[in-house]
Amino acid sequence: MSNPEIAKLGHFALITTDLEKSKWFFSEILGLEETETVDGVVYLRAWGDFEHHTLSLQQGDESRIDHIAWRTKRPEDVDAFAKILEESGTEVTWVDAGVEAGQGRAIRFKLPSEHSFELYYDVEKPLAAPERRSVLKNQTYKSWAKGISPRRIDHVNLLTSMLANEVSDFLEEKLGFKMRECVQAPDNSLVGAWLSVTPLVHDIAISHDPQSPTTNQIHHISYWLDNSQDLLRAADILTEHGIEFKGPGKHGISQAMYIYAIDPGSGVRVEIFTNGYLIFEPDWEPIVWTLDEMDIGFTYWGDQMDSKTENNPTIKG
Amino acid sequence: MSNPEIAKLGHFALITTDLEKSKWFFSEILGLEETETVDGVVYLRAWGDFEHHTLSLQQGDESRIDHIAWRTKRPEDVDAFAKILEESGTEVTWVDAGVEAGQGRAIRFKLPSEHSFELYYDVEKPLAAPERRSVLKNQTYKSWAKGISPRRIDHVNLLTSMLANEVSDFLEEKLGFKMRECVQAPDNSLVGAWLSVTPLVHDIAISHDPQSPTTNQIHHISYWLDNSQDLLRAADILTEHGIEFKGPGKHGISQAMYIYAIDPGSGVRVEIFTNGYLIFEPDWEPIVWTLDEMDIGFTYWGDQMDSKTENNPTIKG
Amino acid sequence: MSNPEIAKLGHFALITTDLEKSKWFFSEILGLEETETVDGVVYLRAWGDFEHHTLSLQQGDESRIDHIAWRTKRPEDVDAFAKILEESGTEVTWVDAGVEAGQGRAIRFKLPSEHSFELYYDVEKPLAAPERRSVLKNQTYKSWAKGISPRRIDHVNLLTSMLANEVSDFLEEKLGFKMRECVQAPDNSLVGAWLSVTPLVHDIAISHDPQSPTTNQIHHISYWLDNSQDLLRAADILTEHGIEFKGPGKHGISQAMYIYAIDPGSGVRVEIFTNGYLIFEPDWEPIVWTLDEMDIGFTYWGDQMDSKTENNPTIKG
Amino acid sequence: MSNPEIAKLGHFALITTDLEKSKWFFSEILGLEETETVDGVVYLRAWGDFEHHTLSLQQGDESRIDHIAWRTKRPEDVDAFAKILEESGTEVTWVDAGVEAGQGRAIRFKLPSEHSFELYYDVEKPLAAPERRSVLKNQTYKSWAKGISPRRIDHVNLLTSMLANEVSDFLEEKLGFKMRECVQAPDNSLVGAWLSVTPLVHDIAISHDPQSPTTNQIHHISYWLDNSQDLLRAADILTEHGIEFKGPGKHGISQAMYIYAIDPGSGVRVEIFTNGYLIFEPDWEPIVWTLDEMDIGFTYWGDQMDSKTENNPTIKG
């Protein structure tokens, strides 16, 4: 039997202390579509997402990402991953089918950094309601209905007080992620790591900061736009609605353009993301940036975040 | 041992009856970079391509695509594919390392349609000359140096008088391509097929036309731009230099935008391509379009090609 | 006293046989904002328009443009134009202040082609409602609220069975328009004329077609977008909502990009327009295109309208 | 006789201490076209400029803008302005035809701030060389030949230690400029003023800073791009060639997007500029921003210049 594999990033489960405000931000400003609301949990996805949801919102006492979910490549991979993880000492919890709307049974476990991951295979791909459905058979919703209107979920970036390699080693060894780019300190430890299971440069990134309040903060979650001009339109929309953001700018690492906006409900940072490159090379050698090269690695040009973590609050993951 | 796999599209080997004009078109108008010229063969690539070349140009008596090359996932996959193909009755020819500059040993064989494919693994990834090199470690050349300036190779579209499924069956069964979208006639035969080994909707498409002069025509080869506005800029550049083209427009199938330009040297059609969607779903069900739905499938909106093949000359593949 | 002058295009007064559908098209699809509805007349403007309205919609038995309104440079110019027109034999009708919401007294008269013009100076510039108002003091509404979201009114194009010069002579001699570009037949008559009172290449164009059903058809009215990519977004929105259109493409004359969409309520054609050049030269010599040059003059590239007027129905002006 | 009028901004005459580097920057990086070089003066213009030049470069001991030239509306306006200026005590110098290539006789004089202005009417509008000429009769050069490739000259921004109103009063009273937007201190003095003779929000701006080293610094000169994405492409080109810049960002005042790049030869700042609004209203009331509102007035969003003048060196005008 071949090794189990992760196919793709699935969704973010966001707990927010202000559900109404988060729902307004993600629906009206970012422009996600609501699939349904079940037991107080709001299930959202972008117009080009196929799965039941790529974001869920739930009221809670503390804003945090409850878990980051990934879809496996084959149905049997969920069990296979459970076995591998348990055998190597990682505690695994099973979640019954239907606990999350539209989703089959799944496992949850924690990274060495205490960030919570979920793995599932079975998921519904509901059609949009007729009046919102695209005229195209390969597109879920009509695009451009409201707000920024991203096409799809893109990636997640974890902030941790641990070294990035302490997290990325686990992702590579246990979960099959491939290192694509990294920032390396003189002692060979990593202060930043960008990894993927797809040709995207990263499905996940690990950002190390010794000042991070915990090992398991969420630096940001991210949605994808098709064109760089869409970022400029996003900046207009965010400014007009009083949403705090940084950008637009362009990263050296990933070559992608960004805006970082804050959900006023939960405080989670959302990277609105576009352009960049894809990695199809099977023998890709990770691009290693030194500390001296970090500046252009993080910001090829444009407006950037304050480098001090204490000025950039994050929520827990 | 696991099945051999193709990782990605590698390059197009174009024979042209007017090398100087083709070189002008691909270098100055499309804006590819020249890696080197060896024995009269001009090796070109886009600013974001990593391999030694994604297009080669060679003078010849008849303009045609000599072969379409694909890179395998592992070194041993070349031999494994050779074995599988020969065992199933497909004649395989070996090409020595160095016959094509920068490339290791490779095999060549013909599809049922007589289109010629090449498979290789070993390939050089030369740095750009210092004055043309990007300031970024993950980007080969400075972008935007000249002409349309696409980022990378994208896909190939084969035109054939055979049914599309007669070609796509071979691609799926022998080479591991996955069907992503197709146009199906009432008798279940396919008149169009879009397949990939990557999350791109297609690395290759098969277009059936009973009026196609042979079974092995090349409908077009394609390069990728990052943004849809880049297509409009391309239209200006093409018009100013008297290059014939169709578009801009947007396909329903693939959701991508296009311009179809003709190399005045060889007559090969080049699709300048952008946007569209990626397929990360492991259980993707091919999108099946009926003949009635073909119009929106081919053209969601915009300027389109005359539907009559006799008005759209193609070169052989 | 100096000659009276026209400062700018003011608004289009559209009579429609299906007010609800026209209101849906102009509000939800094109994305204009409603200033107010008075006595069944819906007053609309774009997010960057300053005046009370740039389009009014009214139910009627026949869809037509009731009048095209222009603002004069000075208050006294309305009377001065009335005098000049009457002295040269053009019948002038006065419209009282308030007949059109937000507007002072005005005159109406007909061009030699029977198209109806209105001239006014006094007009209100109401603020947007607080929740829709831009955070900028120089911008009326928040942009990007819905639909295509053009910035402002741009121009009007008259279709007539008369020669274009029979109309443009009147515009130049009586109203002070300047000829910017034209298409000239071998006998020196004009088949197309583009004129302006501003640095825009045209505030008004005259299109001659001997097959035009009357002397006073409206070829199209037009709104402006800031960026060419916005046209591509517009094409998506129009296609998803089943609105018939031609384009995108780029004119040689004016160097501007276009989409021509049809309001399903009234049948009026709306050109969604962007880019192009401005004329600041005080000694501008009209660009004269011959019939042989008309093709590139009309379409530099892209999807274009059928050249036969009978395939392109228009409403009366 | 009616008052003399200025029609438009004509050109910048730049003295540079490093002619070769300035020529490289303006020709290869910004992408201006060279009309001709006469007596060591390099005459440049953008692909959509019509006049002989919009920028001249000349070697000198100190980098500075020798003069800012404006074209009058009528031939006789040059003499009329000379008379008005002299009568009001402004010293006027005459420049013979041909002293600047392609230009007729002109006057020069100084603003109260000591910035030097030139007024001329007669100017040549040479065609581009055949191989560089656009296929369009209304466009000077083929666009997109090299570098950033702006369409045309846009505006100039003067930095002065004087109050802005001390300069803008002169522009309004003597030269007919209209105030469009301004930043007003509590004592009603102006710290910023944006004025124009065209519907552009500004052909000229005055920036007051008490720390300005002289009364007559040049904050920046500016060229226009058609689309906001072109700014992002400009940022790539500037970064790849090691040119220092700020942006991209969007101003509240003018609603335009910007990048500020520094010519490494002369140190002059060049604003690459796009979008924004036009003022067609004949009764435009200047938009008055208070000091409290300056932040959004200067930067609606994006990367911005350090507010301290000492960190932003300028050259003299």
Side-chain angles (χ1 to χ4, degrees), chain D residues 16-24 40-42 57-59 265:
Chain D
T16 172
T17 54
D18 190 336
L19 180 60
E20 278 316 297
K21 198 172 277 182
S22 288
K23 189 177 164 182
W24 169 79
V41 183
V42 183
L57 303 180
Q58 191 168 9
Q59 181 75 35

Side-chain angles (χ1 to χ4, degrees), chain C residues 8 51 71 73 121 125 137-139 151 181 199 227-228 252 255 275-277 281-283 288 293, chain D residues 8 51 71 73 121 125 137-139 151 181 199 227-228 252 255 275-277 281-283 288 293:
Chain C
K8 63 178 294 266
E51 298 189 19
R71 190 166 188 216
K73 204 157 175 181
Y121 177 80
K125 297 177 185 168
K137 301 176 84 154
N138 55 9
Q139 182 174 318
R151 173 187 280 275
E181 305 206 34
N227 291 290
S228 61
Q255 300 173 27
N275 287 24
Y277 73 105
E281 303 301 329
D283 56 349
V288 182
E293 298 165 333
Chain D
K8 63 179 292 269
E51 298 188 20
R71 191 169 186 210
K73 203 158 178 182
Y121 178 81
K125 297 177 186 167
K137 302 176 83 154
N138 55 9
Q139 183 174 317
R151 172 186 281 276
E181 305 206 34
N227 290 289
S228 61
Q255 299 172 27
N275 287 23
Y277 72 106
E281 303 302 327
D283 56 349
V288 182
E293 297 165 334

Side-chain angles (χ1 to χ4, degrees), chain D residues 182-200:
Chain D
C182 58
V183 180
Q184 197 173 52
D187 65 359
N188 289 337
S189 68
L190 301 186
V191 300
W194 287 257
L195 306 99
S196 65
V197 290
T198 70
L200 300 180

Side-chain angles (χ1 to χ4, degrees), chain D residues 36-48:
Chain D
E36 58 178 334
T37 294
V38 181
D39 296 337
V41 183
V42 183
Y43 293 95
L44 300 170
R45 56 181 172 171
W47 58 261

Side-chain angles (χ1 to χ4, degrees), chain B residues 245-264:
Chain B
F245 69 97
K246 290 289 181 178
K250 182 171 176 175
H251 296 302
I253 294 166
S254 82
Q255 300 173 28
M257 294 184 215
Y258 61 84
I259 277 179
Y260 291 112
I262 303 293
D263 163 27

Side-chain angles (χ1 to χ4, degrees), chain C residues 5 7-8 47 50-51 71-74 121 123 125 134-140 143 151-153 178 181 198-200 203 224 226-229 250-255 257 274-285 287-290 293 296-297 300, chain D residues 5 7-8 47 50-51 71-74 121 123 125 134-140 143 151-153 178 181 198-200 203 224 226-229 250-255 257 274-285 287-290 293 296-297 300:
Chain C
E5 291 178 74
K8 63 178 294 266
W47 57 261
F50 297 104
E51 298 189 19
R71 190 166 188 216
T72 62
K73 204 157 175 181
R74 291 165 292 254
Y121 177 80
V123 67
K125 297 177 185 168
S134 173
V135 299
L136 294 175
K137 301 176 84 154
N138 55 9
Q139 182 174 318
T140 310
S143 56
R151 173 187 280 275
R152 61 167 172 77
I153 192 173
K178 282 166 277 187
E181 305 206 34
T198 69
L200 300 180
D203 299 309
W224 168 266
D226 282 348
N227 291 290
S228 61
Q229 187 194 305
K250 182 171 176 175
H251 296 303
I253 294 166
S254 82
Q255 300 173 27
M257 294 184 215
T274 187
N275 287 24
Y277 73 105
L278 297 172
I279 299 175
F280 296 120
E281 303 301 329
D283 56 349
W284 184 257
E285 289 292 328
I287 306 287
V288 182
W289 305 75
T290 66
E293 298 165 333
I296 193 168
Y300 184 58
Chain D
E5 290 177 74
K8 63 179 292 269
W47 58 261
F50 297 105
E51 298 188 20
R71 191 169 186 210
T72 64
K73 203 158 178 182
R74 289 163 294 255
Y121 178 81
V123 67
K125 297 177 186 167
S134 172
V135 300
L136 294 176
K137 302 176 83 154
N138 55 9
Q139 183 174 317
T140 311
S143 57
R151 172 186 281 276
R152 59 167 173 78
I153 193 173
K178 283 166 274 186
E181 305 206 34
T198 70
L200 300 180
D203 299 309
W224 168 267
D226 282 348
N227 290 289
S228 61
Q229 188 195 305
K250 182 170 175 174
H251 296 303
I253 294 166
S254 83
Q255 299 172 27
M257 293 182 215
T274 187
N275 287 23
Y277 72 106
L278 297 173
I279 299 174
F280 296 120
E281 303 302 327
D283 56 349
W284 183 257
E285 290 292 328
I287 307 287
V288 182
W289 304 74
T290 65
E293 297 165 334
I296 193 168
Y300 185 57

Side-chain angles (χ1 to χ4, degrees), chain A residues 93-104:
Chain A
T93 313
W94 282 91
V95 180
D96 286 342
V99 168
E100 291 173 78
Q103 183 180 301

Side-chain angles (χ1 to χ4, degrees), chain A residues 5 7-8 47 50-51 71-74 121 123 125 134-140 143 151-153 178 181 198-200 203 224 226-229 250-255 257 274-285 287-290 293 296-297 300, chain B residues 5 7-8 47 50-51 71-74 121 123 125 134-140 143 151-153 178 181 198-200 203 224 226-229 250-255 257 274-285 287-290 293 296-297 300:
Chain A
E5 291 177 74
K8 62 178 295 266
W47 58 262
F50 297 104
E51 297 188 21
R71 189 166 189 214
T72 63
K73 204 158 176 182
R74 290 164 292 255
Y121 177 81
V123 67
K125 298 176 185 168
S134 172
V135 299
L136 294 175
K137 302 176 84 155
N138 55 8
Q139 183 174 317
T140 310
S143 57
R151 173 187 281 276
R152 59 166 172 79
I153 193 173
K178 282 166 275 186
E181 305 205 35
T198 69
L200 301 179
D203 299 309
W224 168 266
D226 282 349
N227 290 289
S228 60
Q229 187 194 305
K250 182 171 175 174
H251 296 303
I253 293 166
S254 82
Q255 300 173 27
M257 293 183 215
T274 186
N275 285 25
Y277 72 106
L278 297 172
I279 298 174
F280 296 121
E281 304 301 329
D283 56 349
W284 183 257
E285 290 292 327
I287 307 286
V288 182
W289 305 74
T290 65
E293 297 166 333
I296 192 167
Y300 184 57
Chain B
E5 290 178 74
K8 62 178 293 268
W47 57 261
F50 297 103
E51 299 189 19
R71 191 168 186 213
T72 63
K73 204 158 177 183
R74 291 163 293 254
Y121 178 80
V123 66
K125 298 177 185 168
S134 172
V135 299
L136 293 175
K137 302 176 84 156
N138 55 9
Q139 184 175 315
T140 311
S143 57
R151 172 186 281 275
R152 60 166 171 78
I153 193 173
K178 283 166 273 186
E181 305 205 34
T198 69
L200 300 179
D203 299 309
W224 168 266
D226 282 349
N227 290 290
S228 61
Q229 187 194 306
K250 182 171 176 175
H251 296 302
I253 294 166
S254 82
Q255 300 173 28
M257 294 184 215
T274 186
N275 287 24
Y277 72 106
L278 296 172
I279 300 175
F280 296 120
E281 304 301 329
D283 56 347
W284 183 257
E285 290 292 327
I287 306 288
V288 182
W289 304 75
T290 65
E293 298 166 333
I296 193 169
Y300 185 57

